[in-house]
Amino acid sequence: MKALITSGGRGTRLRPITNTNNKHLIPIANKPMLFYALEAVAEAGIKEVGVIVGSDTKNEIISALGNGTLWDINITYIEQDEPRGLAHVVKISEPFIGKDNFIFYLGDNMIVGGVKRFIEEFEAYKPDCQLVLARVKDPQRFGVPEIKDGKIISIEEKPAKPKSHYAVTGLYIYDNIIFEAVNNIKPGARGELEISDAHQYLLNKGKVVRYSEITGWWKDTGEPEDLLEANRLVLDRAFELEHRQIEGYVDDSDIAGKVIIGKKTEIINSIIRGPVIIGENISIKDSYIGPYTSIHNNCEICNSEVEYSILMEECRVINVDIRIERSLLGRGASIIRCTGRPRSHRFLIGDQSRVEVV
Ligand code: G1P
């Protein structure tokens, strides 16, 4: 079994964060999103992993993942010159996959609980294709299966009138017959080779398409709010029950719930209510950090309150007397209360930034 993981795409709807960061490298619980996919396939015992890179962001991805030694896997980079669809990704990966079975994992999908169980099912039942479905409120944004008597009978890409409440998530397991499918379909409505059309091809040919259902799945819909939701999902479920790991210094501050505090971090006279992850070399003083907050390395928070937020590296929040909530702070961002006169709001913000004031 090999793995194929996508990492391309511009993430335009997550600007300004994606102006300087590939979407797949945005930290979720202080770890780049894409690392979760690599960890999941490594945990399932897969050694050969193909990572699909776009021409514009490949350098960033390659420098973050290297050759895969961090996960004890071998990474082969496969370049897709233009976004031509997921079935096209499979098509260009045939030389890498060869005769093996493989798992195809979209790197912007977060799947809590790993992928081992799905691979085990595939190996036990030996279908031609194993899909992972999740019940969603807005199926028209996804590939949608039609299910009858526990079997998938058709699959449509982003249908106006979905035939079920399920989305086909970004996790697929295939045998070699998928190459016949991707080589025989034509581009769909958005001009790309759609993976749903490849699945429909398999169904038309009478191939065995199985499915499993999951909860704990998240797919970016392009809004910063969705990253916060992914962060919440990981902080909520990924930590073991009552997991607490404190490597830094904590004075008699009040720490409650699941909390991770990294090395060289100091928590002074503060309240931390988990689930919260706080990285390394961070100073938190006279502050409150509330549930579902991730704070990356080298940040400083003083005399302020932060909850349900993601702070990337080197952020500063100083003397802000209104609670910061549902916020995403990019690398090196600062929010500082102005002390001089005239008392005014002063902003220095990049393209497509958003500030909400009270
Ligand atoms: C793609 C697939 C779609 C699937 C989704 C899951 O959509 O085409 O069938 O449901 O990934 O993430 P896209 O992200 O290209 O809109």
Side-chain angles (χ1 to χ4, degrees):
M1 177 80 58
K2 288 181 178 155
L4 209 55
I5 299 176
T6 55
S7 76
R10 293 185 188 92
T12 48
R13 288 169 303 170
L14 287 171
R15 285 176 181 157
I17 301 295
T18 46
N19 284 342
T20 47
N21 261 299
N22 176 305
K23 174 174 81 173
H24 298 79
L25 298 177
I26 293 176
I28 301 294
N30 284 0
K31 194 159 49 180
M33 196 188 293
L34 195 55
F35 284 25
Y36 291 90
L38 291 159
E39 271 172 20
V41 299
E43 188 211 18
I46 294 174
K47 292 289 176 203
E48 292 299 325
V49 179
V51 174
I52 315 298
V53 288
S55 314
D56 46 350
T57 55
K58 70 172 182 196
N59 292 340
E60 212 187 334
I61 297 288
I62 294 172
S63 65
L65 310 186
N67 57 12
T69 38
L70 201 57
W71 302 274
D72 196 21
I73 56 175
N74 298 317
I75 296 182
T76 302
Y77 292 99
I78 301 165
E79 188 167 337
Q80 191 189 31
D81 56 347
E82 296 266 337
R84 296 177 199 272
L86 294 172
H88 179 258
V89 164
V90 173
K91 193 172 167 149
I92 61 171
S93 304
E94 189 171 357
F96 165 73
I97 298 290
K99 294 278 165 245
D100 287 297
N101 297 332
F102 65 104
I103 176 166
F104 184 31
Y105 193 144
L106 309 186
D108 62 357
N109 277 229
M110 300 273 310
I111 290 156
V112 175
V115 300
K116 207 169 164 194
R117 58 207 154 127
F118 304 119
I119 293 177
E120 281 168 0
E121 271 186 53
F122 178 86
E123 282 168 350
Y125 293 95
K126 301 191 176 23
D128 296 295
C129 165
Q130 168 101 17
L131 301 177
V132 175
L133 309 183
R135 201 172 254 277
V136 293
K137 287 194 215 87
D138 46 359
Q140 59 283 353
R141 291 201 303 109
F142 300 95
V144 179
E146 181 185 2
I147 301 174
K148 211 173 159 197
D149 302 329
K151 285 208 165 89
I152 296 181
I153 55 167
S154 75
I155 296 181
E156 290 176 288
E157 183 64 27
K158 303 188 174 52
K161 290 194 181 134
K163 295 201 174 107
S164 71
H165 292 292
Y166 288 103
V168 178
T169 67
L171 188 68
Y172 321 88
I173 311 176
Y174 300 122
D175 68 15
N176 246 249
I177 198 79
I178 193 66
F179 293 115
E180 182 189 313
V182 297
N183 283 311
N184 276 286
I185 56 170
K186 299 271 170 298
R190 52 177 170 171
E192 298 183 355
L193 285 183
E194 299 289 353
I195 201 68
S196 291
D197 292 343
H199 297 149
Q200 184 60 48
Y201 178 96
L202 296 179
L203 290 168
N204 293 346
K205 292 278 163 180
K207 301 294 172 196
V208 182
V209 178
R210 279 192 91 248
Y211 69 90
S212 342
E213 190 183 333
I214 48 162
T215 53
W217 169 69
W218 170 85
K219 163 80 169 99
D220 139 57
T221 54
E223 292 292 323
E225 195 96 10
D226 301 312
L227 292 177
L228 297 173
E229 178 60 13
N231 200 56
R232 186 189 68 76
L233 195 70
V234 172
L235 289 182
D236 224 10
R237 318 257 184 105
F239 287 177
E240 288 155 31
L241 214 58
E242 290 311 316
H243 185 96
R244 185 174 291 179
Q245 182 188 322
I246 299 180
E247 294 184 291
Y249 171 77
V250 181
D251 68 354
D252 56 1
S253 291
D254 177 4
I255 313 274
K258 296 184 264 185
V259 174
I260 290 184
I261 298 173
K263 294 186 191 113
K264 295 199 222 146
T265 285
E266 277 191 354
I267 315 283
I268 310 288
N269 191 34
S270 297
I271 299 169
I272 317 276
R273 298 247 162 83
V276 159
I277 181 163
I278 300 171
E280 297 182 2
N281 197 32
I282 292 166
S283 164
I284 296 179
K285 223 166 138 186
D286 305 322
S287 295
Y288 162 80
I289 310 294
Y292 306 118
T293 303
S294 294
I295 303 174
H296 213 316
N297 301 345
N298 306 317
C299 287
E300 183 184 353
I301 299 174
C302 182
N303 201 21
S304 301
E305 302 189 8
V306 182
E307 186 171 292
Y308 194 63
S309 292
I310 299 175
L311 275 62
M312 300 188 197
E313 283 164 280
E314 291 170 21
C315 288
R316 295 173 72 217
V317 180
I318 315 282
N319 297 329
V320 179
D321 58 5
I322 289 170
R323 183 173 299 180
I324 294 175
E325 230 191 40
R326 290 163 52 223
S327 298
L328 200 62
L329 270 59
R331 270 184 293 194
S334 299
I335 304 179
I336 298 173
R337 188 190 173 131
C338 140
T339 47
R341 295 272 169 198
R343 283 202 65 211
S344 59
H345 294 303
R346 180 170 172 257
F347 302 115
L348 185 70
I349 55 180
D351 300 355
Q352 282 121 354
S353 299
R354 191 167 88 205
V355 176
E356 291 174 19
V357 295
V358 288

